[in-house]
Amino acid sequence: MAKKIAEICINSKAGIVQIKMNKGPNHTLKGEKAVRFEQRRNAYICDNNSHSEASLLAANDFLEGRL
């Protein structure tokens, strides 16, 4: 079974993004990686995606190494 994203938690004040997986390791992005994640997420929001869909797309970009 493929790994799937279970939850994405963003704490802008602390500069942390957590990507929780239903199988496999969870990911915690800090510093520059968290900033790039939020920039990508904001770009997806500007493309008329919802906040949750934009977070999911940005998380997939991170997991596939495009971030």
Side-chain angles (χ1 to χ4, degrees):
M1 182 176 178
K3 297 177 184 176
K4 292 186 179 179
I5 298 170
E7 184 180 6
I8 301 167
C9 301
I10 301 170
N11 186 336
S12 297
K13 276 189 173 180
I16 297 173
V17 176
Q18 293 178 317
I19 302 172
K20 297 180 182 180
M21 308 295 286
N22 68 350
K23 288 192 177 230
N26 296 328
H27 303 276
T28 302
L29 310 179
K30 297 177 183 176
E32 184 63 33
K33 286 185 181 183
V35 170
R36 282 187 280 155
F37 178 90
E38 289 198 52
Q39 288 172 343
R40 182 68 59 98
R41 178 180 174 263
N42 291 337
Y44 282 126
I45 290 172
C46 289
D47 289 338
N48 295 323
N49 292 301
S50 67
H51 287 269
S52 60
E53 187 176 14
S55 295
L56 182 62
L57 291 169
N60 281 328
D61 285 350
F62 170 75
L63 294 173
E64 293 174 6
R66 293 181 286 185
L67 191 63

